Amino acid sequence: MREESLSREVRYGKQDIAELESASIQVHLIYKKAAELFKRTSNSPSVKDDVTGAKTHSTNNNGQVMAPAVLQKWIQTARGWKCIGCELRQPDFGVQAEATFHEERVYLDVGEGRFVQAEMLIQAIVWSQYEKIRLFAPWLGDDTFYTVQELDVIARYIVPTYFSERPLHEQGKASKVHHSSGQIPLYQEYVDAPSFCVQVDGGLLEGRLLTGVYVSEEQFFGLNPYLKDGDGGRTYMQACVQ
């Protein structure tokens, strides 16, 4: 996947920044809660090691320690901000001891040569839990895995993701399938990102605007908006508060 960086700015209102800062942490904690449950109930050593993103911290030459970051992918829609998933990012330290993050995809081996992207699997598990808790709420009482507040966060921000396209088809909703060669497909409700274009090398590059939100060690780490073109390439830009 092509990745480029530009100094061009994408402007956000103060309310958007405040909402993303709060929502990203809440979503991150929900992902982590689901991952810990999955970790405890799984018999696969690879799942136990990888599904929660429990990677070794990186240390630079000056002894500075930095944990991996999660890059959440957000889209601003007419229904508000929506999180379509996340990616694990590992820190790289340059000669000035300043860290940048590079993508590190985590795939889980589920047998018979089949794999699933860990971050998308967690998204699908969270949504499956949410629907079952809502369905059986009259019989569960207060004994639910997620709190009322966490259920509201899931409903408001997390995009429905399934192991089959049938639920979305039955609801008459467009879907996007996430898989590549050898992977188990996961089906997510399609969320239309805003159109966007930037000038690159004297020409216009068109695509869809997504907002990357970095979360590290349960703390908001900043925004990194990017344009995603039709080939999946990303052009990263700077976030600016207006």
Side-chain angles (χ1 to χ4, degrees):
M1 179 177 64
R2 177 189 60 79
E3 293 190 359
E4 295 181 1
S5 296
L6 291 176
S7 60
R8 303 183 189 281
E9 296 180 343
V10 178
R11 297 184 178 274
Y12 296 87
K14 291 182 180 180
Q15 290 184 342
D16 288 325
I17 298 293
E19 182 176 2
L20 286 172
E21 182 172 352
S22 173
S24 63
I25 297 299
Q26 294 178 77
V27 168
H28 179 67
L29 292 175
I30 288 170
Y31 281 156
K32 186 175 181 180
K33 190 173 183 177
E36 288 292 342
L37 176 66
F38 190 73
K39 177 181 176 182
R40 291 196 303 268
T41 58
S42 173
N43 294 321
S44 169
S46 63
V47 172
K48 290 181 180 180
D49 291 339
D50 291 340
V51 74
T52 57
K55 299 291 184 177
T56 303
H57 289 45
S58 297
T59 307
N60 69 357
N61 295 331
N62 296 325
Q64 181 182 359
V65 178
M66 189 166 228
V70 171
L71 176 65
Q72 297 176 354
K73 297 175 286 187
W74 290 78
I75 294 176
Q76 190 171 30
T77 73
R79 296 178 292 148
W81 287 99
K82 300 294 179 182
C83 181
I84 63 172
C86 65
E87 299 168 359
L88 183 67
R89 295 273 167 154
Q90 289 287 357
D92 280 331
F93 290 97
V95 294
Q96 301 299 323
E98 294 181 353
T100 57
F101 291 97
H102 70 273
E103 180 181 359
E104 179 169 315
R105 293 284 179 91
V106 179
Y107 296 98
L108 305 180
D109 185 350
V110 294
E112 300 180 357
R114 299 182 302 166
F115 295 83
V116 62
Q117 186 181 334
E119 296 87 348
M120 288 304 301
L121 174 63
I122 294 300
Q123 180 110 349
I125 289 173
V126 168
W127 191 258
S128 176
Q129 290 173 310
Y130 166 79
E131 289 195 326
K132 286 180 172 59
I133 291 172
R134 289 298 196 200
L135 178 63
F136 294 106
W139 297 275
L140 294 175
D142 295 331
D143 187 22
T144 60
F145 183 69
Y146 295 116
T147 66
V148 172
Q149 181 182 6
E150 288 171 334
L151 291 171
D152 289 342
V153 169
I154 295 171
R156 182 173 182 179
Y157 294 116
I158 294 181
V159 176
T161 307
Y162 298 93
F163 297 95
S164 165
E165 63 181 336
R166 181 177 177 179
L168 292 169
H169 178 73
E170 291 177 344
Q171 297 172 50
K173 295 181 178 179
S175 64
K176 178 179 180 180
V177 59
H178 293 266
H179 76 94
S180 58
S181 178
Q183 291 185 44
I184 294 177
L186 294 173
Y187 301 87
Q188 186 174 76
E189 180 181 340
Y190 177 74
V191 178
D192 192 20
S195 299
F196 199 79
C197 65
V198 294
Q199 190 168 7
V200 179
D201 298 329
L204 288 178
L205 179 62
E206 298 182 2
R208 300 290 181 175
L209 178 64
L210 285 85
T211 299
V213 181
Y214 280 105
V215 180
S216 182
E217 295 188 316
E218 301 176 13
Q219 294 184 350
F220 176 77
F221 203 74
L223 302 183
N224 201 178
Y226 62 91
L227 179 147
K228 186 174 182 180
D229 61 33
D231 296 325
R234 296 181 183 179
T235 301
Y236 286 93
M237 294 165 285
Q238 300 295 319
C240 177
V241 181
Q242 64 182 7

